[in-house]
């Protein structure tokens, strides 16, 4: 990510691998576990486990936002992912940036 520190970038790159349905599945699993604990008479544990679901859903929402709205690293990635070339850069600069760089 462009404007993030190394730790945040690493965490977001790793969490991108988790599909969004995974967060939803885990949250539903927590709700089911909470219901089973409540039925078995463990009210305190049921409340504890039941409160995991909103936290997991919030983490899933953050993950989705980070995946969707992360800034491209360069102009080539922006154009490749359906964005438009920057209006603030000159055509020469865009051409130079998007052309292949020689490997030394």
């Amino acid at each position: 990510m462009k404007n993030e520190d190394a730790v945040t970038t690493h965490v977001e790159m790793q969490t991108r691998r988790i599909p969004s349905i995974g967060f939803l599945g885990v949250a539903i699993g927590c709700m089911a576990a909470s219901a089973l604990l409540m039925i078995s008479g463990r009210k305190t544990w049921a409340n504890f486990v039941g409160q995991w679901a909103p936290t997991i859903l919030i983490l899933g929402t953050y993950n989705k936002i980070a995946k969707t709205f992360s800034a491209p690293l360069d102009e080539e990635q922006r154009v490749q992912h359906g964005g438009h070339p920057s209006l603030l850069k000159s055509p020469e600069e865009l051409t130079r940036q998007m052309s292949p760089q020689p490997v030394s």
Side-chain angles (χ1 to χ4, degrees), residues 26-90:
V26 171
I28 290 172
C30 290
M31 289 185 273
S34 176
L36 291 173
L37 287 166
M38 185 65 80
I39 290 169
S40 69
R42 297 179 177 171
K43 186 177 179 181
T44 305
W45 277 101
N47 287 335
F48 177 66
V49 173
Q51 290 182 16
W52 295 353
T55 304
I56 292 166
L57 291 173
I58 289 169
L59 290 172
T61 302
Y62 173 79
N63 186 42
K64 188 71 165 185
I65 290 170
K67 280 186 201 178
T68 306
F69 295 107
S70 63
L73 297 175
D74 59 14
E75 197 67 28
E76 184 178 350
Q77 278 187 343
R78 182 187 319 280
V79 173
Q80 189 177 35
H81 288 97
H84 300 287
S86 174
L87 298 174
L88 302 176
K89 295 184 179 181
S90 68

